[in-house]
Structure formats: C-alpha cells, structure tokens
Coordinates of all heavy atoms in Angstrom, one line a residue:
M1 N 93.3 113.6 150.9 CA 93.2 113.5 152.3 C 91.8 113.1 152.7 O 90.8 113.5 152.0 CB 93.5 114.9 153.0 CG 94.9 115.2 153.2 SD 95.2 116.5 154.4 CE 95.3 117.9 153.4
L2 N 91.6 112.4 153.8 CA 90.3 112.0 154.3 C 89.7 113.2 155.1 O 90.5 114.1 155.5 CB 90.5 110.8 155.2 CG 90.9 109.5 154.6 CD1 91.2 108.4 155.6 CD2 89.9 109.0 153.5
A3 N 88.4 113.2 155.2 CA 87.8 114.3 155.9 C 88.2 114.3 157.4 O 88.4 115.4 157.9 CB 86.3 114.1 155.8
Q4 N 88.5 113.2 158.0 CA 88.9 113.1 159.4 C 90.3 113.7 159.5 O 90.7 114.1 160.6 CB 88.9 111.7 159.9 CG 87.5 111.2 160.1 CD 86.8 110.7 158.8 OE1 87.5 110.6 157.7 NE2 85.6 110.4 158.8
D5 N 91.1 113.6 158.4 CA 92.5 114.2 158.5 C 92.5 115.7 158.3 O 93.4 116.4 158.7 CB 93.4 113.6 157.4 CG 93.6 112.1 157.6 OD1 93.5 111.6 158.7 OD2 93.8 111.4 156.6
I6 N 91.5 116.3 157.7 CA 91.4 117.7 157.4 C 90.9 118.4 158.7 O 91.5 119.4 159.1 CB 90.5 118.0 156.2 CG1 91.1 117.4 155.0 CG2 90.2 119.5 156.1 CD1 90.2 117.5 153.8
I7 N 89.8 118.0 159.3 CA 89.3 118.6 160.5 C 90.0 118.0 161.7 O 89.8 116.9 162.0 CB 87.8 118.4 160.6 CG1 87.1 118.9 159.4 CG2 87.3 119.1 161.9 CD1 87.1 120.4 159.1
I8 N 90.8 118.8 162.4 CA 91.6 118.3 163.5 C 90.8 118.4 164.8 O 90.7 117.4 165.6 CB 92.9 119.1 163.7 CG1 93.8 118.8 162.4 CG2 93.7 118.6 164.9 CD1 95.0 119.6 162.3
R9 N 90.3 119.6 165.1 CA 89.5 119.8 166.4 C 88.7 121.0 166.3 O 89.0 121.9 165.5 CB 90.4 119.8 167.6 CG 91.3 121.0 167.7 CD 92.2 121.0 168.9 NE 93.0 122.3 168.9 CZ 92.6 123.4 169.6 NH1 91.5 123.4 170.2 NH2 93.4 124.4 169.5
P10 N 87.6 121.1 167.1 CA 86.9 122.4 167.1 C 87.6 123.4 168.0 O 88.3 123.0 169.0 CB 85.5 122.1 167.7 CG 85.8 120.8 168.5 CD 86.9 120.1 167.8
I11 N 87.5 124.7 167.7 CA 88.1 125.7 168.6 C 87.0 126.3 169.5 O 86.1 126.8 168.9 CB 88.8 126.8 167.7 CG1 90.0 126.1 167.0 CG2 89.3 127.9 168.6 CD1 90.7 127.1 166.0
L12 N 87.2 126.1 170.8 CA 86.1 126.6 171.7 C 86.7 127.8 172.5 O 87.6 127.6 173.3 CB 85.7 125.4 172.6 CG 85.3 124.2 171.9 CD1 85.1 123.0 172.9 CD2 84.0 124.4 171.1
S13 N 86.1 128.9 172.2 CA 86.5 130.2 172.9 C 85.3 131.0 173.1 O 84.2 130.7 172.6 CB 87.6 130.9 172.1 OG 87.0 131.3 170.8
E14 N 85.4 132.2 173.8 CA 84.3 133.0 174.0 C 83.7 133.5 172.6 O 82.5 133.6 172.5 CB 84.7 134.2 174.8 CG 85.0 133.9 176.3 CD 85.3 135.1 177.1 OE1 84.8 136.2 176.8 OE2 86.0 135.0 178.1
K15 N 84.6 133.9 171.7 CA 84.2 134.4 170.4 C 83.5 133.3 169.6 O 82.4 133.5 169.0 CB 85.4 134.9 169.6 CG 85.0 135.5 168.3 CD 86.2 136.1 167.6 CE 85.8 136.7 166.3 NZ 87.0 137.2 165.6
S16 N 84.0 132.1 169.7 CA 83.3 131.0 169.0 C 82.0 130.6 169.6 O 81.0 130.3 168.9 CB 84.2 129.7 168.9 OG 84.4 129.1 170.2
Y17 N 81.8 130.7 170.9 CA 80.5 130.5 171.5 C 79.5 131.5 171.1 O 78.3 131.2 170.9 CB 80.7 130.5 173.1 CG 81.2 129.2 173.7 CD1 82.3 129.3 174.5 CD2 80.7 128.0 173.4 CE1 82.8 128.1 175.1 CE2 81.2 126.8 174.0 CZ 82.3 126.9 174.8 OH 82.8 125.7 175.3
A18 N 79.9 132.7 171.0 CA 79.0 133.8 170.6 C 78.5 133.6 169.2 O 77.4 134.0 168.8 CB 79.7 135.2 170.8
D19 N 79.3 133.1 168.3 CA 79.0 132.9 166.9 C 78.2 131.6 166.6 O 77.7 131.5 165.5 CB 80.2 132.9 166.0 CG 80.8 134.3 165.8 OD1 80.0 135.3 166.0 OD2 82.0 134.5 165.4
I20 N 78.0 130.8 167.6 CA 77.2 129.5 167.3 C 75.8 129.9 167.0 O 75.2 129.2 166.2 CB 77.3 128.6 168.6 CG1 78.7 128.0 168.7 CG2 76.3 127.5 168.5 CD1 79.0 127.2 169.9
A21 N 75.3 130.9 167.6 CA 73.9 131.4 167.3 C 73.7 131.8 165.8 O 72.6 131.7 165.3 CB 73.5 132.5 168.2
N22 N 74.8 132.3 165.2 CA 74.8 132.7 163.8 C 75.2 131.6 162.9 O 75.4 131.9 161.7 CB 75.7 133.9 163.6 CG 75.3 135.1 164.5 OD1 74.2 135.3 164.8 ND2 76.3 135.8 164.9
K23 N 75.2 130.4 163.4 CA 75.7 129.2 162.6 C 77.1 129.4 162.0 O 77.3 129.1 160.8 CB 74.7 128.9 161.4 CG 73.3 128.4 161.9 CD 72.5 128.0 160.8 CE 71.2 127.4 161.3 NZ 70.3 126.9 160.2
K24 N 78.0 129.9 162.8 CA 79.4 130.1 162.4 C 80.2 129.3 163.4 O 80.1 129.4 164.6 CB 79.7 131.6 162.5 CG 81.0 131.9 161.8 CD 81.3 133.4 161.8 CE 80.5 134.1 160.7 NZ 81.0 135.5 160.6
Y25 N 81.0 128.4 162.8 CA 81.8 127.5 163.7 C 83.3 127.6 163.3 O 83.7 127.8 162.2 CB 81.3 126.0 163.4 CG 79.9 125.9 163.7 CD1 78.9 125.9 162.7 CD2 79.4 125.7 165.0 CE1 77.5 125.8 163.0 CE2 78.1 125.5 165.3 CZ 77.2 125.6 164.3 OH 75.8 125.4 164.6
Y26 N 84.1 127.4 164.3 CA 85.6 127.5 164.2 C 86.2 126.1 164.4 O 85.9 125.4 165.3 CB 86.1 128.4 165.3 CG 85.7 129.9 165.1 CD1 84.4 130.2 165.5 CD2 86.5 130.8 164.7 CE1 83.9 131.5 165.3 CE2 86.1 132.2 164.5 CZ 84.8 132.5 164.9 OH 84.4 133.8 164.7
F27 N 87.2 125.8 163.5 CA 87.9 124.5 163.6 C 89.4 124.7 163.3 O 89.8 125.6 162.6 CB 87.4 123.6 162.5 CG 85.9 123.2 162.6 CD1 84.9 123.8 161.9 CD2 85.6 122.2 163.5 CE1 83.6 123.4 162.0 CE2 84.2 121.8 163.6 CZ 83.3 122.4 162.9
E28 N 90.2 123.9 164.0 CA 91.6 123.8 163.6 C 91.6 122.8 162.5 O 91.1 121.7 162.6 CB 92.4 123.3 164.8 CG 93.9 123.2 164.4 CD 94.7 122.8 165.6 OE1 94.3 122.9 166.8 OE2 95.8 122.2 165.3
V29 N 92.3 123.1 161.4 CA 92.4 122.2 160.2 C 93.8 122.0 159.9 O 94.7 122.6 160.4 CB 91.6 122.8 159.0 CG1 90.1 123.0 159.3 CG2 92.2 124.2 158.6
A30 N 94.0 121.0 159.0 CA 95.3 120.7 158.5 C 96.0 121.9 157.8 O 95.3 122.6 157.1 CB 95.3 119.5 157.6
K31 N 97.3 122.0 158.0 CA 97.9 123.2 157.4 C 97.9 123.3 155.9 O 97.8 124.4 155.3 CB 99.4 123.3 157.8 CG 99.6 123.6 159.3 CD 101.0 123.7 159.7 CE 101.2 124.0 161.1 NZ 102.6 124.2 161.5
K32 N 97.8 122.2 155.2 CA 97.8 122.1 153.8 C 96.4 122.1 153.2 O 96.2 122.0 152.0 CB 98.6 121.0 153.2 CG 100.1 121.1 153.5 CD 100.9 120.1 152.8 CE 102.4 120.4 153.1 NZ 103.3 119.6 152.3
A33 N 95.4 122.1 154.0 CA 94.0 122.0 153.6 C 93.5 123.3 152.9 O 93.8 124.4 153.4 CB 93.1 121.7 154.7
T34 N 92.8 123.2 151.8 CA 92.3 124.3 151.1 C 90.8 124.6 151.6 O 90.2 123.7 152.3 CB 92.3 124.1 149.6 OG1 91.4 123.0 149.3 CG2 93.7 123.9 149.1
K35 N 90.3 125.7 151.1 CA 88.9 126.0 151.5 C 87.9 125.0 151.0 O 87.0 124.6 151.7 CB 88.5 127.4 151.0 CG 89.2 128.6 151.8 CD 88.8 129.9 151.2 CE 89.5 131.0 151.9 NZ 89.0 132.3 151.5
T36 N 88.1 124.6 149.8 CA 87.2 123.6 149.2 C 87.3 122.3 149.9 O 86.3 121.6 150.1 CB 87.4 123.4 147.7 OG1 88.8 123.1 147.5 CG2 87.1 124.7 146.9
Q37 N 88.5 121.9 150.3 CA 88.6 120.6 151.1 C 88.0 120.7 152.4 O 87.3 119.8 152.9 CB 90.1 120.3 151.2 CG 90.8 119.8 150.0 CD 92.3 119.6 150.2 OE1 92.9 120.3 151.0 NE2 92.9 118.8 149.3
V38 N 88.1 121.9 153.1 CA 87.5 122.1 154.4 C 85.9 122.0 154.3 O 85.3 121.4 155.1 CB 87.9 123.4 155.0 CG1 87.1 123.7 156.3 CG2 89.4 123.4 155.4
K39 N 85.4 122.7 153.2 CA 84.0 122.7 153.0 C 83.4 121.3 152.8 O 82.5 120.9 153.4 CB 83.6 123.5 151.8 CG 82.2 123.6 151.5 CD 81.9 124.5 150.2 CE 80.4 124.5 149.9 NZ 80.1 125.3 148.8
A40 N 84.1 120.5 152.0 CA 83.7 119.1 151.7 C 83.8 118.3 153.0 O 82.9 117.4 153.2 CB 84.6 118.5 150.6
A41 N 84.8 118.5 153.8 CA 85.0 117.7 155.0 C 83.9 118.0 156.0 O 83.4 117.1 156.6 CB 86.4 118.0 155.6
V42 N 83.6 119.2 156.2 CA 82.5 119.6 157.2 C 81.2 119.1 156.7 O 80.4 118.5 157.5 CB 82.5 121.1 157.4 CG1 81.3 121.5 158.2 CG2 83.8 121.6 158.1
E43 N 80.9 119.2 155.4 CA 79.7 118.6 154.9 C 79.6 117.1 155.0 O 78.5 116.6 155.3 CB 79.5 119.1 153.4 CG 79.2 120.5 153.3 CD 79.0 121.0 151.8 OE1 79.5 120.2 150.9 OE2 78.5 122.1 151.6
E44 N 80.7 116.5 154.8 CA 80.7 115.0 154.9 C 80.6 114.5 156.4 O 79.8 113.6 156.7 CB 82.0 114.4 154.3 CG 82.1 112.9 154.4 CD 83.4 112.4 153.9 OE1 84.0 113.1 153.0 OE2 83.9 111.4 154.3
I45 N 81.3 115.1 157.3 CA 81.4 114.7 158.7 C 80.1 115.0 159.4 O 79.5 114.2 160.1 CB 82.6 115.3 159.4 CG1 83.9 114.7 158.9 CG2 82.5 115.0 160.9 CD1 85.1 115.4 159.4
F46 N 79.6 116.3 159.3 CA 78.5 116.7 160.1 C 77.1 116.7 159.3 O 76.1 117.1 159.9 CB 78.7 118.1 160.6 CG 79.9 118.2 161.5 CD1 81.1 118.8 161.1 CD2 79.9 117.6 162.8 CE1 82.2 118.9 161.9 CE2 81.0 117.7 163.6 CZ 82.2 118.3 163.2
K47 N 77.1 116.4 158.0 CA 75.9 116.3 157.2 C 75.1 117.6 157.2 O 73.9 117.7 157.5 CB 75.0 115.2 157.7 CG 75.7 113.8 157.9 CD 76.0 113.2 156.5 CE 76.4 111.8 156.7 NZ 77.9 111.6 156.7
V48 N 75.8 118.7 157.0 CA 75.2 120.0 156.9 C 75.6 120.7 155.6 O 76.4 120.2 154.8 CB 75.7 120.9 158.1 CG1 75.3 120.4 159.4 CG2 77.3 121.1 158.0
K49 N 75.0 121.8 155.3 CA 75.3 122.6 154.0 C 76.1 123.8 154.4 O 75.6 124.7 155.2 CB 74.0 123.0 153.4 CG 74.1 123.6 152.0 CD 72.8 123.9 151.4 CE 73.0 124.6 150.0 NZ 71.8 125.0 149.4
V50 N 77.3 123.9 153.8 CA 78.2 125.0 154.1 C 78.0 126.1 153.1 O 78.0 125.9 151.9 CB 79.7 124.5 154.2 CG1 80.6 125.7 154.4 CG2 79.8 123.5 155.2
E51 N 77.9 127.4 153.6 CA 77.8 128.5 152.7 C 79.1 129.1 152.3 O 79.4 129.3 151.2 CB 76.9 129.6 153.4 CG 76.7 130.8 152.5 CD 75.8 131.8 153.2 OE1 74.7 131.4 153.7 OE2 76.2 133.0 153.3
S52 N 80.0 129.3 153.3 CA 81.3 129.9 153.0 C 82.3 129.4 154.1 O 82.0 129.0 155.2 CB 81.3 131.4 153.1 OG 81.0 131.9 154.4
V53 N 83.6 129.5 153.7 CA 84.7 129.1 154.5 C 85.8 130.1 154.4 O 86.2 130.5 153.4 CB 85.3 127.7 154.1 CG1 86.5 127.4 155.0 CG2 84.3 126.6 154.2
N54 N 86.3 130.6 155.6 CA 87.4 131.5 155.7 C 88.5 130.8 156.4 O 88.2 130.2 157.5 CB 87.0 132.8 156.4 CG 86.1 133.6 155.6 OD1 86.0 133.6 154.4 ND2 85.3 134.4 156.3
T55 N 89.7 130.9 155.9 CA 90.9 130.3 156.6 C 91.9 131.3 157.0 O 92.0 132.3 156.3 CB 91.5 129.2 155.8 OG1 92.0 129.7 154.5 CG2 90.5 128.0 155.5
L56 N 92.7 131.0 158.0 CA 93.8 131.9 158.4 C 94.8 131.1 159.1 O 94.5 130.1 159.8 CB 93.3 133.1 159.3 CG 92.6 132.8 160.6 CD1 93.1 133.8 161.6 CD2 91.1 132.9 160.4
N57 N 96.1 131.5 159.0 CA 97.2 130.9 159.7 C 97.4 131.6 161.0 O 97.5 132.8 161.0 CB 98.4 130.9 158.8 CG 98.4 130.0 157.6 OD1 98.0 128.8 157.8 ND2 98.7 130.5 156.5
V58 N 97.5 130.8 162.1 CA 97.7 131.4 163.4 C 99.1 131.0 163.8 O 99.5 129.8 163.8 CB 96.7 130.8 164.4 CG1 96.9 131.4 165.8 CG2 95.3 131.1 164.0
Y59 N 99.9 132.0 164.0 CA 101.3 131.8 164.4 C 101.5 131.7 165.9 O 100.7 132.3 166.7 CB 102.2 132.9 163.8 CG 102.1 132.9 162.3 CD1 101.4 133.9 161.6 CD2 102.8 132.0 161.6 CE1 101.3 133.9 160.2 CE2 102.8 132.0 160.2 CZ 102.0 132.9 159.5 OH 101.9 132.9 158.2
G60 N 102.4 130.9 166.3 CA 102.6 130.6 167.8 C 103.1 131.8 168.5 O 103.7 132.7 168.0
K61 N 102.8 131.9 169.8 CA 103.2 133.0 170.7 C 104.4 132.6 171.5 O 104.6 131.4 171.7 CB 102.0 133.3 171.6 CG 100.8 133.7 171.0 CD 99.7 134.0 172.0 CE 98.4 134.3 171.4 NZ 97.4 134.5 172.4
I62 N 105.1 133.6 171.9 CA 106.3 133.3 172.7 C 105.8 133.1 174.2 O 105.1 133.9 174.7 CB 107.3 134.5 172.7 CG1 107.9 134.6 171.3 CG2 108.4 134.3 173.7 CD1 108.8 135.8 171.1
K63 N 106.2 132.0 174.8 CA 105.9 131.7 176.2 C 107.2 131.5 176.9 O 108.1 131.0 176.4 CB 105.0 130.5 176.3 CG 103.7 130.6 175.6 CD 102.7 131.5 176.3 CE 101.4 131.5 175.7 NZ 100.4 132.3 176.4
R64 N 107.1 131.9 178.2 CA 108.3 131.8 179.0 C 108.0 130.9 180.2 O 106.9 130.9 180.8 CB 108.8 133.2 179.6 CG 109.3 134.0 178.5 CD 109.9 135.3 179.1 NE 110.7 135.0 180.3 CZ 111.3 135.9 181.0 NH1 111.2 137.2 180.6 NH2 112.0 135.6 182.0
Q65 N 109.0 130.1 180.6 CA 109.0 129.3 181.8 C 110.3 129.6 182.5 O 111.4 129.0 182.2 CB 108.9 127.8 181.4 CG 108.8 126.9 182.6 CD 107.4 126.7 183.1 OE1 106.5 126.9 182.4 NE2 107.3 126.4 184.4
G66 N 110.3 130.5 183.5 CA 111.5 130.9 184.1 C 112.4 131.7 183.1 O 111.9 132.7 182.5
R67 N 113.6 131.3 182.9 CA 114.5 131.9 182.0 C 114.4 131.4 180.6 O 114.9 132.1 179.6 CB 116.0 131.8 182.5 CG 116.3 132.7 183.7 CD 117.8 132.7 183.9 NE 118.2 131.5 184.5 CZ 119.5 131.3 184.8 NH1 120.4 132.2 184.5 NH2 119.9 130.2 185.4
T68 N 113.8 130.3 180.4 CA 113.8 129.7 179.0 C 112.5 130.2 178.3 O 111.5 130.4 178.9 CB 113.7 128.2 179.1 OG1 112.6 127.8 179.9 CG2 115.0 127.6 179.7
E69 N 112.7 130.4 177.0 CA 111.6 130.8 176.1 C 111.3 129.8 175.1 O 112.2 129.0 174.7 CB 112.0 132.1 175.4 CG 111.9 133.4 176.2 CD 112.2 134.6 175.3 OE1 112.6 134.4 174.1 OE2 111.9 135.7 175.8
G70 N 110.1 129.7 174.7 CA 109.7 128.8 173.6 C 108.5 129.3 172.9 O 107.9 130.4 173.3
L71 N 108.1 128.7 171.8 CA 107.0 129.1 171.0 C 105.9 128.0 171.1 O 106.1 126.8 171.1 CB 107.4 129.2 169.6 CG 108.2 130.4 169.1 CD1 108.6 130.3 167.7 CD2 107.3 131.7 169.3
T72 N 104.6 128.5 171.2 CA 103.5 127.6 171.0 C 103.4 127.2 169.6 O 104.0 127.9 168.7 CB 102.2 128.2 171.5 OG1 101.9 129.4 170.8 CG2 102.3 128.5 173.0
G73 N 102.7 126.2 169.2 CA 102.6 125.7 167.9 C 101.8 126.6 166.9 O 100.9 127.3 167.3
N74 N 102.2 126.6 165.6 CA 101.4 127.2 164.6 C 100.3 126.3 164.1 O 100.5 125.1 164.2 CB 102.3 127.5 163.4 CG 103.5 128.4 163.7 OD1 103.5 129.2 164.7 ND2 104.6 128.3 162.9
Y75 N 99.2 126.9 163.7 CA 98.1 126.0 163.2 C 97.3 126.8 162.2 O 97.5 128.1 162.1 CB 97.3 125.4 164.3 CG 96.5 126.4 165.2 CD1 95.2 126.8 164.9 CD2 97.1 127.0 166.3 CE1 94.5 127.7 165.7 CE2 96.5 128.0 167.1 CZ 95.2 128.3 166.8 OH 94.5 129.2 167.5
K76 N 96.4 126.2 161.5 CA 95.5 126.8 160.6 C 94.1 126.7 161.1 O 93.7 125.7 161.6 CB 95.6 126.1 159.2 CG 94.9 126.9 158.1 CD 95.2 126.2 156.8 CE 94.8 127.1 155.6 NZ 95.2 126.6 154.3
K77 N 93.4 127.9 161.1 CA 92.1 128.0 161.6 C 91.1 128.2 160.5 O 91.4 129.0 159.5 CB 92.0 129.1 162.6 CG 90.6 129.3 163.2 CD 90.6 130.2 164.5 CE 91.1 131.6 164.3 NZ 90.8 132.4 165.5
A78 N 89.9 127.5 160.5 CA 88.9 127.7 159.5 C 87.6 128.2 160.2 O 87.2 127.7 161.3 CB 88.6 126.4 158.8
V79 N 87.0 129.2 159.6 CA 85.7 129.7 160.1 C 84.7 129.3 159.1 O 84.7 129.7 157.9 CB 85.7 131.3 160.3 CG1 84.4 131.8 160.8 CG2 86.9 131.7 161.1
V80 N 83.7 128.4 159.5 CA 82.8 127.8 158.6 C 81.4 128.5 158.9 O 80.9 128.4 160.0 CB 82.7 126.3 158.8 CG1 81.6 125.7 157.9 CG2 84.1 125.7 158.5
Q81 N 80.8 129.1 157.8 CA 79.5 129.6 157.9 C 78.5 128.7 157.2 O 78.7 128.4 156.1 CB 79.4 131.0 157.2 CG 78.1 131.6 157.2 CD 77.6 132.1 158.5 OE1 78.3 132.8 159.2 NE2 76.3 131.7 158.9
L82 N 77.5 128.2 158.0 CA 76.5 127.3 157.4 C 75.4 128.1 156.7 O 75.2 129.3 157.0 CB 75.9 126.5 158.5 CG 76.8 125.6 159.3 CD1 76.0 124.7 160.3 CD2 77.6 124.7 158.4
A83 N 74.8 127.4 155.8 CA 73.7 128.1 155.0 C 72.5 128.3 156.0 O 72.3 127.6 157.0 CB 73.3 127.2 153.9
A84 N 71.6 129.2 155.6 CA 70.5 129.6 156.5 C 69.5 128.4 156.6 O 68.9 128.2 157.7 CB 69.8 130.8 155.9
D85 N 69.4 127.6 155.6 CA 68.4 126.5 155.6 C 69.0 125.2 156.1 O 68.3 124.2 156.2 CB 67.8 126.3 154.2 CG 68.9 126.0 153.2 OD1 70.0 126.3 153.4 OD2 68.5 125.4 152.1
S86 N 70.3 125.3 156.5 CA 71.0 124.1 157.0 C 70.7 123.9 158.5 O 70.4 124.8 159.2 CB 72.5 124.2 156.8 OG 73.2 123.1 157.4
K87 N 70.7 122.6 158.9 CA 70.6 122.4 160.4 C 71.9 122.7 161.1 O 72.9 122.8 160.4 CB 70.2 120.9 160.6 CG 71.3 119.9 160.2 CD 70.8 118.5 160.5 CE 71.9 117.5 160.1 NZ 72.6 117.0 161.2
S88 N 71.8 122.9 162.4 CA 73.1 123.3 163.1 C 73.9 122.0 163.4 O 73.3 120.9 163.3 CB 72.7 124.0 164.4 OG 71.9 123.2 165.2
I89 N 75.1 122.1 163.8 CA 75.9 121.0 164.1 C 75.6 120.6 165.6 O 75.7 121.4 166.5 CB 77.4 121.4 164.0 CG1 77.7 121.7 162.5 CG2 78.3 120.2 164.5 CD1 79.2 122.2 162.3
E90 N 75.2 119.3 165.7 CA 74.7 118.8 167.0 C 75.7 118.9 168.1 O 75.4 119.1 169.3 CB 74.2 117.4 166.8 CG 73.0 117.2 165.9 CD 72.7 115.8 165.6 OE1 73.2 114.9 166.3 OE2 71.8 115.6 164.8
F91 N 77.0 118.7 167.8 CA 78.1 118.7 168.8 C 78.1 120.0 169.5 O 78.2 120.1 170.8 CB 79.4 118.5 168.1 CG 80.6 118.7 169.0 CD1 80.9 117.7 170.0 CD2 81.4 119.8 169.0 CE1 82.0 117.9 170.9 CE2 82.4 120.0 169.8 CZ 82.7 119.1 170.8
F92 N 77.9 121.1 168.8 CA 77.9 122.5 169.4 C 76.6 122.8 170.1 O 76.6 123.8 170.9 CB 78.3 123.5 168.4 CG 79.6 123.4 167.8 CD1 79.9 122.7 166.6 CD2 80.7 124.0 168.5 CE1 81.2 122.6 166.1 CE2 82.0 123.9 168.0 CZ 82.2 123.2 166.8
D93 N 75.5 122.2 169.8 CA 74.2 122.5 170.4 C 74.3 122.3 171.9 O 73.6 123.0 172.7 CB 73.1 121.7 169.8 CG 72.8 122.1 168.4 OD1 73.2 123.2 168.0 OD2 72.2 121.3 167.6
S94 N 75.0 121.3 172.4 CA 75.0 121.0 173.8 C 75.9 122.0 174.6 O 75.8 122.1 175.8 CB 75.6 119.6 174.0 OG 76.9 119.5 173.6
L95 N 76.7 122.7 173.9 CA 77.7 123.7 174.5 C 77.0 125.0 174.7 O 77.4 125.7 175.7 CB 78.9 123.9 173.6 CG 79.7 122.6 173.4 CD1 80.9 122.9 172.4 CD2 80.3 122.0 174.7
S96 N 76.1 125.4 173.9 CA 75.5 126.8 174.0 C 74.3 126.8 174.9 O 73.9 126.0 175.5 CB 75.1 127.3 172.6 OG 74.2 126.4 172.0

C-alpha cells in the first residue's frame, strides 16, 4: 500500500486538540494497516520521527432517523506519538 492509502484523514476532536501539545496525533487509517505501516506512512508524508503508534478499531454507533435505524461506519484509528527531538506536524500547528 502507498502511504497516501494508509492515512485516510486526521481526526479532529477536543481530545486530539489537547494532545497536540504533547506531540500526539490522531488519524483514521486503512482497516488492514499495521502499526509499522502507519509509522512508515506518517514518517514519509510529514517528514517527522515517530516514537510509537497505537491502533484501535472503532465500531459504528446506532443512529436513528425517525423510525428507521442505521449504523455509522466502522473505522480504524491510530494514535501517533512523535519523538521528543522531532519537529511537529505543520498541518496541526495552525489548528492549536
């Protein structure tokens, strides 16, 4: 897989904004991506040094619209911790 196929989008929430100061970033990644693939993709795309990667599967929630029920989509989330001597990701600098 290409690096652009592994990293789908950044996850922007209150918790992720709070962790930007600690050089911890959240991404939605491909469901079949491994931790080593995510690490290589982040290092290639953003030109930073990654210390650790944690991944978890997020299951969809039940949502209702009137009488009908449905599920939101499942996805895989990666929490990327950058090394202390690494520069921060420029995309997130403008957000904090």
Side-chain angles (χ1 to χ4, degrees):
M1 276 200 265
L2 296 173
Q4 291 80 8
D5 295 335
I6 293 172
I7 306 294
I8 297 173
R9 67 180 181 94
I11 296 176
L12 304 174
S13 64
E14 288 183 28
K15 185 176 180 180
S16 68
Y17 281 126
D19 282 341
I20 288 175
N22 301 329
K23 292 188 177 181
K24 195 178 276 191
Y25 302 97
Y26 295 74
F27 296 99
E28 181 181 336
V29 296
K31 288 185 182 180
K32 294 190 177 192
T34 62
K35 290 182 180 184
T36 54
Q37 290 174 333
V38 171
K39 179 179 178 178
V42 170
E43 288 179 344
E44 180 184 331
I45 292 172
F46 298 109
K47 308 289 190 263
V48 294
K49 186 176 179 188
V50 175
E51 183 177 308
S52 66
V53 176
N54 293 332
T55 59
L56 59 140
N57 288 312
V58 180
Y59 297 102
K61 299 177 182 179
I62 295 175
K63 297 288 183 178
R64 290 186 45 180
Q65 181 85 26
R67 286 194 283 178
T68 57
E69 283 186 348
L71 284 174
T72 59
N74 301 334
Y75 63 95
K76 190 171 193 175
K77 178 164 63 171
V79 181
V80 177
Q81 175 69 50
L82 299 185
D85 59 340
S86 176
K87 66 180 179 106
S88 61
I89 297 176
E90 295 172 9
F91 172 76
F92 292 97
D93 290 341
S94 62
L95 301 176
S96 57

